[in-house]
Amino acid sequence: ENTFNFTMQKCVYVNVQGLQVFLFLKRSCFSFLFTVTVNALEGKDCKESVKLIAESTNLSEEQLAFLISGMYTLLREALRLPLSTFKQEVSSGNTWSPDKLKAVSDASYHLNPICQGGERPASEGTALMQRSRLPSVQDLKWRVDVAISTSSLARALQPSILMMMKLSDGTAHRFEVPIAKFQELRYNVALILKEMNDLEKRSILKIQD
Amino acid sequence: GLTIFVLQTESIFSEEEEEKLQIAFSLEKQDLHLVLETISFILEQAVYHNLKPASLQQQLQNIHLDQDKAETFASAWAAAGQDTIEKFRQRVLTPQKLETIGWQLNLQMAESMQAKLKSPQAVLELGVSDEDSKNLKKVFVEFSHQELFEFYNKLETIQAQLDSLM
């Protein structure tokens, strides 16, 4: 808890210095910086853009570093919280409230849309959403076969299911699912879906952010 | 009389067991092997043609096997025949088979990149056996509500195919 606060304060400290610099930036430069930061959050390569910024302004390397890291941290933290949080915190003394950001009138032009709803940048769908999770099913291929006859049985007439499961971590699993096991799988999946529905309806999820 | 053991194709008597059998039936090693192979063959044919015990007895008598021996085969087959055939039906050529299914439903509250989540996540644990290694490989797969729903729809499609076979 304490270390977190310290880090947050350090960022604020950095940002305070950065924000002072914001005031002297032209709006075009600021919006360019903003775009670059969003690209960075989306995981795109920004080396070229950063070089361009460095050349087009007369900021020192140190000031530029402050600016970019400050903006990155700001955006990342702003995007971490769901939209509904901001509506309540506007009037509180929270460091990240858009009120404080409003003080920097030029900055608010870009940052308000993020904090107060409207369109969030694509970063929400990409780099920020690369959560730590177990692999999910990327692709599922299957086939149903009926064995007419085998080396052991002249008339087998036994259906079988073959599944080819590709997971998001790149692994692929091919296995046969006996009919009885398949029914068990189907039953369990339906059961989990029902449980999920019940869970989503319960009051615990109606707690306000 | 001759007592018959119903053999599953893969069961092999160990050296000790063979010796005991030799002594029990006063047979030489080669003769014992011959007897065991003959019994195996008869039972394999019974499985292959899905013979009823009565048919089996008839067939054996047709090849001039003693009445009492034929009867013994028939009664042993009546007792264990169906199960044996069913076991062979279930055998597949694919080495990997789904054996166990486990699951867990979680409610994710937060993570390093996102706070205040409240998103339900399901984790399926599939135990896949490997015929070669005899080990159960555990495959863990995570699903969001939407992903699970899509998975369920695929299973329903498979079920529809199975139903159309009936």
Side-chain angles (χ1 to χ4, degrees):
Chain A
E1 180 78 45
N2 280 334
T3 5
F4 179 68
N5 282 338
F6 173 79
T7 321
M8 290 294 277
Q9 291 198 356
K10 202 170 168 197
C11 285
V12 171
Y13 177 76
V14 167
N15 282 343
V16 164
Q17 294 214 323
L19 280 175
Q20 284 182 342
V21 183
F22 280 160
L23 287 171
F24 297 112
L25 284 179
K26 278 187 261 183
R27 179 175 279 195
S28 56
C29 182
F30 181 88
S31 56
F32 191 38
L33 256 182
F34 182 82
T35 318
V36 170
T37 315
V38 170
N39 284 342
L41 279 170
E42 288 180 354
K44 293 183 193 156
D45 186 27
C46 309
K47 279 192 285 245
E48 291 301 316
S49 321
V50 173
K51 264 193 217 153
L52 271 174
I53 298 175
E55 283 159 19
S56 63
T57 70
N58 53 0
L59 293 168
S60 73
E61 246 187 66
E62 207 195 352
Q63 286 173 324
L64 197 59
F66 271 142
L67 269 180
I68 293 179
S69 67
M71 197 181 278
Y72 185 84
T73 312
L74 252 183
L75 262 186
R76 197 186 62 197
E77 285 308 312
L79 286 169
R80 193 171 175 267
L81 296 167
L83 283 173
S84 38
T85 315
F86 287 103
K87 298 200 173 82
Q88 286 176 328
E89 287 180 0
V90 160
S91 50
S92 75
N94 190 291
T95 318
W96 304 112
S97 80
D99 263 359
K100 296 246 162 70
L101 298 173
K102 268 195 182 121
V104 185
S105 56
D106 273 347
S108 70
Y109 173 73
H110 288 283
L111 291 168
N112 273 354
I114 290 187
C115 301
Q116 287 182 343
E119 222 184 270
R120 287 208 146 178
S123 37
E124 226 174 36
T126 56
L128 287 187
M129 287 306 260
Q130 275 162 16
R131 318 209 300 240
S132 30
R133 47 182 323 214
L134 288 168
S136 58
V137 174
Q138 198 172 62
D139 187 49
L140 178 68
K141 288 197 170 72
W142 55 269
R143 51 186 270 180
V144 173
D145 290 325
V146 177
I148 309 277
S149 127
T150 70
S151 49
S152 327
L153 292 162
R155 273 287 166 272
L157 297 176
Q158 181 71 7
S160 65
I161 302 167
L162 196 65
M163 275 198 195
M164 231 300 263
M165 214 181 249
K166 267 201 200 124
L167 301 182
S168 57
D169 65 357
T171 56
H173 302 273
R174 195 194 320 135
F175 51 88
E176 189 246 346
V177 184
I179 302 294
K181 274 289 160 228
F182 175 73
Q183 302 304 343
E184 197 185 312
L185 181 65
R186 223 172 115 237
Y187 169 74
N188 278 299
V189 172
L191 185 61
I192 304 172
L193 276 172
K194 180 191 169 294
E195 296 274 336
M196 268 187 180
N197 274 326
D198 290 347
L199 192 61
E200 281 164 359
K201 281 181 196 149
R202 279 195 216 150
S203 55
I204 187 174
L205 292 175
K206 294 198 175 119
I207 295 171
Q208 293 297 318
D209 278 326
Chain B
L2 189 66
T3 318
I4 295 179
F5 303 90
V6 177
L7 300 172
Q8 301 217 335
T9 317
E10 279 163 359
S11 74
I12 303 162
F13 290 114
S14 68
E15 276 297 316
E16 291 175 19
E17 288 165 336
E18 281 196 5
E19 276 166 31
K20 284 185 192 153
L21 286 173
Q22 276 179 255
I23 297 165
F25 296 117
S26 327
L27 291 168
E28 290 300 320
K29 195 173 181 126
Q30 287 147 302
D31 293 333
L32 177 67
H33 281 176
L34 186 58
V35 169
L36 290 176
E37 277 168 26
T38 313
I39 297 175
S40 293
F41 178 76
I42 292 171
L43 293 173
E44 276 165 27
Q45 288 300 302
V47 167
Y48 188 77
H49 295 286
N50 193 12
L51 291 175
K52 295 282 176 291
S55 314
L56 177 62
Q57 187 171 346
Q58 188 59 51
Q59 295 283 340
L60 290 172
Q61 283 169 324
N62 288 349
I63 55 169
H64 308 298
L65 194 66
D66 290 344
Q67 170 109 12
D68 58 342
K69 293 191 181 72
E71 271 173 21
T72 323
F73 264 108
S75 55
W77 191 240
Q82 275 308 107
D83 287 341
T84 314
I85 290 177
E86 197 50 42
K87 276 209 178 83
F88 275 100
R89 273 226 178 87
Q90 301 288 343
R91 279 174 100 201
V92 275
L93 296 176
T94 43
Q96 296 189 317
K97 201 159 85 162
L98 180 65
E99 301 271 4
T100 62
I101 298 161
W103 57 268
Q104 198 180 67
L105 178 59
N106 299 322
L107 187 64
Q108 188 172 27
M109 300 303 289
E111 52 158 25
S112 45
M113 287 302 256
Q114 195 98 34
K116 300 184 186 179
L117 273 172
K118 298 196 295 271
S119 70
Q121 305 282 335
V123 177
L124 262 187
E125 180 199 274
L126 302 172
V128 179
S129 72
D130 195 331
E131 207 172 273
D132 299 328
S133 65
K134 301 281 183 221
N135 281 334
L136 204 65
K137 178 176 69 170
K138 295 274 169 91
V139 180
F140 292 94
V141 192
E142 191 177 311
F143 295 89
S144 67
H145 195 155
Q146 181 61 29
E147 287 166 345
L148 194 65
F149 187 65
E150 283 163 12
F151 185 64
Y152 182 71
N153 283 334
K154 291 201 172 119
L155 295 182
E156 284 295 287
T157 309
I158 299 175
Q159 183 60 41
Q161 288 303 316
L162 288 175
D163 291 339
S164 70
L165 290 175
M166 297 302 157

